[in-house]
Amino acid sequence: FVRAEEDLPSADLLIVAGTSLVVSPANSLVYMVPRNAYRVIMNNEPVGKELGIDYGPDAERDVFVRGNCDDSFLDLICELGWFQDLEGVMDNLPEASAKLIEAKKERWN
């Protein structure tokens, strides 16, 4: 939160992961990005409706990604073409994360 007031007003994208968005002050971050910034919520269930987050068919800025955060971020990394970069840091990752990456790698081969 140290830089939130300085950085978020110029953000193009806010990714919110694995939270109910009920606890303050963390839930206030969704208000701190510009109205044209995309807000991606990664969670097991949709959250934030009471904060004005809209996942409906007419939603213009809010995107809901259902699922486990580790899996969702790994999918995003793959889509962005960054998967090979992970191999260089595998030794620094927690064992569970390294196993998830290895499993994804095996599915590709």
Side-chain angles (χ1 to χ4, degrees), residues 70-71 74 83 86 89-90 92-104:
D70 289 344
D71 293 324
L74 186 53
F83 187 78
L86 288 177
V89 297
M90 290 283 284
N92 299 325
L93 297 176
E95 185 178 339
S97 297
K99 285 182 179 180
L100 181 67
I101 293 166
E102 284 297 325
K104 184 81 161 185

Side-chain angles (χ1 to χ4, degrees), residues 18-20 41-48 55 64-68:
T19 178
S20 63
I41 313 299
M42 294 181 172
N43 203 23
N44 286 325
E45 58 190 51
V47 295
Y55 309 117
F64 176 63
V65 178
R66 182 182 300 275
N68 173 286

Side-chain angles (χ1 to χ4, degrees), residues 1-54:
F1 290 99
V2 175
R3 296 191 46 106
E5 287 183 17
E6 185 178 335
D7 291 342
L8 290 180
S10 62
D12 296 322
L13 170 69
L14 175 69
I15 298 176
V16 179
T19 178
S20 63
L21 285 175
V22 173
V23 179
S24 183
N27 63 357
S28 67
L29 296 177
V30 299
Y31 298 125
M32 298 176 83
V33 296
R35 291 197 179 275
N36 63 341
Y38 292 100
R39 301 183 297 188
V40 177
I41 313 299
M42 294 181 172
N43 203 23
N44 286 325
E45 58 190 51
V47 295
K49 197 172 195 175
E50 64 282 350
L51 300 173
I53 295 175
D54 176 20

Side-chain angles (χ1 to χ4, degrees), residues 57-78:
D58 297 327
E60 295 182 11
R61 67 183 292 207
D62 298 323
V63 177
F64 176 63
V65 178
R66 182 182 300 275
N68 173 286
C69 290
D70 289 344
D71 293 324
S72 297
F73 275 109
L74 186 53
D75 289 342
L76 178 61
I77 287 167
C78 292

